[in-house]
Amino acid sequence: MAFLFNSDAARGAVFREAFACELPDLEFYHCSEAIDPEKIRYLLTWNVPDDVSRFCNLELLFSIGAGVDQFNPETIPGHVKLVRMVEDGIIRMMQEYVVLGVLTLHREMLAYQGQQRRGVWQALPTSQATDRRIGFLGLGMLAQAAIDRLKPFQFPIAAWSRSEKTVEGVTCFHGDAQLGNFLRGTNILVCLLPLTEQTSGILNARLFSLLPAGARLLHVGRGPQLDQGALIEALDSGHLAAAMLDVTDPEPLPDGHLLWSHPKVIITPHIASVTQPHTAAQSVIENIRRHRAGRNPIGLVDRTLGY
Ligand SMILES: NC(=O)C1=CN([C@@H]2O[C@H](COP(=O)(O)OP(=O)(O)OC[C@H]3O[C@@H](n4cnc5c(N)ncnc54)[C@H](OP(=O)(O)O)[C@@H]3O)[C@@H](O)[C@H]2O)C=CC1
Ligand SMILES: O=C(O)C(=O)CO
């Protein structure tokens, strides 16, 4: 019985050490080593290898990231459980990034950067946090953690999810019928949705038109959720004031793309949050223990929903 780590050697070494301590009965392989595919019960990977079917005894397929949109479930046998990454390191980094992004957009940092380049020393009108509603598309693990960190700033906070939810201090909306009401009250929109058939292209001209004039976008979900042309139009018309994008389509954003030099856009290269090996290894070990005890892993993907 063995675990296969199909990713970078540096994080693999951290996993190997943790597994040796905590699960000494389980053989551990890095993808650079020769393996007997029949031994592999657990596979951790970003992309599913084309020849995954050779792991005929596979039980759990772990994504090394929080997202699982890179998995094509049709290539993975139905009995294999898919597990997304739920771990403290990725959560903490996303908390930092969302706080950074919201404050950057709230305190007009893009406009001040533009002024700096032109040598302009001039205060711009400000809004109080209490007057600026932050609206989260998605109210899952990462959005809820980010909301916890934002609460001390006293922004009103709302969120929109697929199913009905109650979260203290958050005005909750759910389902397509409530999307419009959610958007109409949102001044800074944070996208933390998984990429699925339903969320692909969700950040489009119609959605932007439902946001109040002067709204801002912080996009940390997945590139294909955003219609980039519609964003540029909404920014150029002045309806949206600014956007901060950690994800684009494609990635990397091609040389010369309009978004690179747009004065109302900040781009980071998909670095909002990255799986941290020490904490992630503990989370995967805990999930293997749960699975062995006949319990579902934390982060089990619902194949019908796609996340
Ligand atoms: N840029 C970066 O560095 C990173 C980006 N990510 C992205 O963040 C995403 C979210 O991660 P995480 O918080 O762990 O995911 P979760 O699965 O915990 O949460 C997803 C949330 O989205 C909601 N949702 C899904 N589909 C719909 C829909 N059709 N309509 C309305 N709401 C919907 C879910 O609703 P419900 O609660 O009802 O199920 C849930 O609240 C990842 O999938 C990944 O794409 C993740 C890590 C790093
Ligand atoms: O964990 C994820 O899904 C990411 O996007 C990390 O880069």
Side-chain angles (χ1 to χ4, degrees):
M1 193 182 281
F3 178 93
L4 177 58
F5 185 94
N6 187 38
S7 191
D8 58 290
R11 286 191 290 187
V14 176
F15 268 72
R16 186 187 290 279
E17 207 179 312
F19 272 62
C21 271
E22 309 256 356
L23 293 174
D25 62 315
L26 187 64
E27 284 181 68
F28 185 99
Y29 292 95
H30 182 258
C31 51
S32 57
E33 295 170 302
I35 44 168
D36 171 359
E38 288 188 16
K39 279 189 176 176
I40 304 301
R41 298 289 168 98
Y42 314 113
L43 169 63
L44 183 140
T45 189
W46 178 247
N47 288 310
V48 178
D50 290 341
D51 56 357
V52 67
S53 59
R54 76 194 175 109
F55 303 121
C56 54
N57 292 312
L58 192 62
E59 295 172 15
L60 296 182
L61 178 55
F62 293 95
S63 168
I64 196 163
V68 291
D69 49 284
Q70 74 284 9
F71 286 177
N72 175 1
E74 280 162 28
T75 64
I76 308 161
H79 69 273
V80 176
K81 291 183 174 174
L82 313 184
V83 189
R84 66 199 175 81
M85 186 55 74
V86 176
E87 65 95 6
D88 288 350
I90 206 167
I91 291 173
R92 277 196 295 267
M93 285 188 78
M94 187 57 82
Q95 289 175 316
E96 288 173 8
Y97 189 91
V98 171
V99 171
L100 172 77
V102 165
L103 294 182
T104 297
L105 295 169
H106 170 56
R107 294 303 301 265
E108 316 293 353
M109 290 311 290
L110 260 164
Y112 283 120
Q113 271 181 358
Q115 289 194 173
Q116 181 183 344
R117 271 185 228 108
R118 287 177 279 119
V120 175
W121 182 282
Q122 188 192 322
L124 297 169
T126 51
S127 285
Q128 291 299 300
T130 46
D131 297 331
R132 185 100 85 183
R133 186 159 98 177
I134 316 299
F136 282 79
L137 286 170
L139 186 51
M141 167 182 82
L142 296 174
Q144 292 196 33
I147 288 170
D148 283 346
R149 284 290 179 278
L150 279 174
K151 278 183 178 165
F153 295 102
Q154 298 185 16
F155 293 103
I157 296 178
W160 178 75
S161 53
R162 187 186 49 78
S163 58
E164 191 168 0
K165 293 209 144 37
T166 309
V167 176
E168 202 191 326
V170 180
T171 307
C172 292
F173 298 82
H174 70 280
D176 292 345
Q178 295 185 6
L179 180 60
N181 280 345
F182 161 78
L183 293 168
R184 277 186 274 274
T186 291
N187 305 110
I188 298 182
L189 182 68
V190 182
C191 180
L192 261 171
L193 287 167
L195 179 62
T196 63
E197 259 176 48
Q198 288 70 37
T199 67
S200 180
I202 189 169
L203 300 171
N204 55 30
R206 184 172 171 278
L207 179 142
F208 295 143
S209 74
L210 295 172
L211 290 166
R216 290 116 212 256
L217 171 68
L218 175 59
H219 186 27
V220 266
R222 285 290 185 258
Q225 289 162 342
L226 172 64
D227 178 339
Q228 295 173 166
L231 173 66
I232 292 171
E233 275 177 30
L235 291 166
D236 288 346
S237 73
H239 180 61
L240 292 190
M244 181 158 164
L245 311 177
D246 184 54
V247 289
T248 62
D249 185 24
E251 291 180 2
L253 194 63
D255 285 348
H257 194 286
L258 282 177
L259 284 171
W260 274 125
S261 53
H262 199 289
K264 294 182 178 173
V265 175
I266 302 182
I267 292 177
T268 53
H270 200 145
I271 47 72
S273 184
V274 181
T275 296
Q276 299 299 305
H278 288 96
T279 38
Q282 292 308 322
S283 141
V284 172
I285 287 166
E286 170 62 13
N287 268 339
I288 291 174
R289 289 200 176 116
R290 287 173 71 100
H291 176 70
R292 286 174 162 182
R295 297 162 67 202
N296 272 336
I298 295 167
L300 178 66
V301 173
D302 181 330
R303 282 182 179 234
T304 56
L305 295 175
Y307 68 96

